[in-house]
Amino acid sequence: MDTILNPLYIAVSWIIVQFHSFYSLIFNENSGAAWGLSIVSLVVLIRICLIPLFVKQIKSTRNMQALQPKMKAIQERYKSDKQRQSEEMMKLYKETGTNPLSSCLPILAQSPFFISLYQVLNHIAQNKVVGVIDQPLLESAQKAHIFGAPLAAKFNDTAAKLDALGASLTDVRVVTIIMVVLMSLSQFYTQRQLMTKNVDLTVKTPFMQQQKMLMYVFPVMFALFGLFVPGFPVGVLVYWLTTNVWTMGQQMFVIRRNPTPGSKAFVERQERLRAKGKLVESPAEIEAKQAAEEARQNRQQPKRQTKAKRQAGGAAPAGGQRTRARSGQGAAEQPSLEKKDAQDGKEKGGASGSRTAKSGQRKGQQRPKHPSKK
């Protein structure tokens, strides 16, 4: 393992030594500030180099979110044929230019440097020369303490080993616990910020549930690794805390400037641009908003009444409404009835003579009685 990663040991130790030489001009060369800031600077340098991969990660994450409905449809259609399902998935990735592994690229790219820094600090704790760190630099690094904890000390180190590094068990454990808690909280906040602000909430997909689960799993996992299995040295905790803070700030910048369409951050950005006059809306959107606002203003809420009033007025309106309806109906029907009576009077006057004549004819010409009725 050491033989394979030896070039990385040399590279990581060389970068740390160069930064240490610079900070030694400001601080004591054996101080925790000089060595701690060297590790922080190593993180910043690595993360700057990984910015293109971070951009790919953002694009890949958005593409995966957009493809979730199609992926779910493929899984439902070919759930009995796993091979065809895989082929259709790969075809969908190829057509959309999406790489599922792109979201893991920054973590994968950091892993060799993380392992190398862990081994460099482990060599320092064992009083072994590593990379370009010779014996004088090794002694200087062993003397470096951050709030009383040596850079190479771990949470599960014995009191005898920490005494050899010039530290107490209490100081080391307090410092490591505080750093692990900060590391886990920064990891949790970063993931929560992504889930609550930069996800299209109109689309419910299994991908969102997975991200929500990882939001709680990752901090717990890092806390266990940092304290017990296998236990990170203080210098590695400085590295990991710094990279978490960098990720959190970088993500806040991206979410504010270039959020996912349909997310809460996207709506907030549209409002900011609209307030500054940089966002021109279409006439259709303006009319729709005005109509919605007018409908909201014209909507009147019913007055609140006591229970006694509601019970007393519950039956009255029904009878009153019937009475008013009937009276209104009678008032409306009265003119029509008067017109009808007048018309009937005219018809009766004109038709009375004919009716009289017909009755006279009927009286004069009587039908003969049936023989059976004589």
Side-chain angles (χ1 to χ4, degrees):
M1 184 73 175
D2 289 346
T3 305
I4 298 174
L5 295 178
N6 190 56
L8 278 176
Y9 295 171
I10 295 174
V12 169
S13 59
W14 184 83
I15 294 172
I16 291 176
V17 167
Q18 299 306 312
F19 281 119
H20 177 260
S21 300
F22 171 74
Y23 289 116
S24 296
L25 301 175
I26 305 171
F27 307 99
N28 185 354
E29 62 179 1
N30 299 330
S31 65
W35 285 99
L37 289 174
S38 300
I39 296 173
V40 171
S41 301
L42 171 67
V43 175
V44 173
L45 179 63
I46 293 174
R47 294 309 300 266
I48 289 174
C49 296
L50 293 178
I51 286 178
L53 294 180
F54 180 77
V55 174
K56 286 186 178 181
Q57 179 191 22
I58 293 294
K59 291 181 179 179
S60 177
T61 303
R62 290 184 181 179
N63 290 340
M64 290 296 293
Q65 291 177 357
L67 290 178
Q68 285 300 312
K70 295 182 180 179
M71 292 170 62
K72 190 175 180 180
I74 292 174
Q75 291 173 354
E76 291 293 330
R77 175 183 264 180
Y78 304 106
K79 59 183 177 181
S80 59
D81 190 351
K82 298 296 182 183
Q83 183 178 357
R84 181 65 185 278
Q85 185 182 118
S86 301
E87 291 175 357
E88 292 295 327
M89 287 287 190
M90 296 303 296
K91 183 179 178 182
L92 180 64
Y93 292 150
K94 188 176 180 180
E95 290 176 352
T96 57
T98 304
N99 185 3
L101 297 178
S102 297
S103 58
C104 304
L105 285 178
I107 296 177
L108 294 176
Q110 284 186 88
S111 298
F113 296 96
F114 178 79
I115 296 172
S116 300
L117 179 63
Y118 178 87
Q119 292 297 330
V120 167
L121 293 173
N122 197 32
H123 279 69
I124 292 174
Q126 296 175 5
N127 199 19
K128 294 180 180 179
V129 175
V130 58
V132 298
I133 297 179
D134 52 14
Q135 192 62 36
L137 288 172
L138 181 62
E139 294 176 358
S140 175
Q142 285 182 337
K143 294 177 183 177
H145 291 62
I146 296 179
F147 301 109
L151 291 176
K154 301 177 185 178
F155 178 83
N156 52 4
D157 283 345
T158 61
K161 185 176 182 180
L162 295 176
D163 187 58
L165 294 173
S168 65
L169 185 64
T170 303
D171 291 342
V172 171
R173 291 194 171 181
V174 169
V175 170
T176 51
I177 288 175
I178 292 174
M179 295 186 71
V180 166
V181 169
L182 293 176
M183 183 179 69
S184 300
L185 287 177
S186 60
Q187 178 74 29
F188 176 79
Y189 182 80
T190 301
Q191 194 68 21
R192 178 177 173 79
Q193 180 181 232
L194 179 66
M195 289 298 301
T196 56
K197 286 193 173 183
N198 203 38
V199 173
D200 188 358
L201 300 177
T202 60
V203 181
K204 302 293 183 181
T205 62
F207 180 76
M208 295 175 61
Q209 298 298 326
Q210 295 173 4
Q211 293 293 318
K212 189 175 181 180
M213 182 180 65
L214 293 176
M215 179 174 67
Y216 295 97
V217 172
F218 275 169
V220 175
M221 185 176 65
F222 281 123
L224 293 176
F225 283 166
L227 294 177
F228 304 108
V229 187
F232 292 153
V234 173
V236 174
L237 293 178
V238 171
Y239 175 93
W240 205 249
L241 177 61
T242 306
T243 193
N244 279 1
V245 172
W246 177 281
T247 302
M248 183 173 62
Q250 191 173 13
Q251 186 172 269
M252 289 175 65
F253 178 82
V254 171
I255 290 176
R256 182 175 177 83
R257 295 300 183 96
N258 191 19
T260 302
S263 63
K264 181 179 178 181
F266 182 81
V267 176
E268 293 175 353
R269 183 175 181 271
Q270 296 295 94
E271 292 295 332
R272 290 196 302 270
L273 293 177
R274 192 177 294 109
K276 294 179 181 179
K278 296 181 180 180
L279 182 64
V280 180
E281 296 178 337
S282 62
E285 292 180 355
I286 296 175
E287 290 179 2
K289 286 187 177 182
Q290 289 178 352
E293 183 66 21
E294 290 177 359
R296 187 185 65 81
Q297 292 178 356
N298 293 334
R299 186 177 59 205
Q300 295 180 354
Q301 296 293 337
K303 294 183 179 180
R304 191 171 183 178
Q305 296 180 347
T306 62
K307 186 176 180 180
K309 289 183 178 180
R310 290 197 300 269
Q311 290 178 350
Q321 286 178 0
R322 292 194 194 100
T323 305
R324 285 194 297 269
R326 289 173 181 173
S327 62
Q329 185 177 0
E333 290 177 353
Q334 186 174 359
S336 60
L337 290 174
E338 292 176 356
K339 292 180 181 179
K340 188 176 180 180
D341 291 340
Q343 187 175 1
D344 290 344
K346 292 179 182 179
E347 290 177 356
K348 287 177 181 179
S352 60
S354 61
R355 288 177 182 171
T356 305
K358 288 180 180 178
S359 61
Q361 289 176 3
R362 290 195 189 102
K363 288 179 180 179
Q365 298 177 1
Q366 295 181 355
R367 292 179 181 179
K369 293 183 178 180
H370 198 272
S372 62
K373 294 181 180 181
K374 287 182 180 180

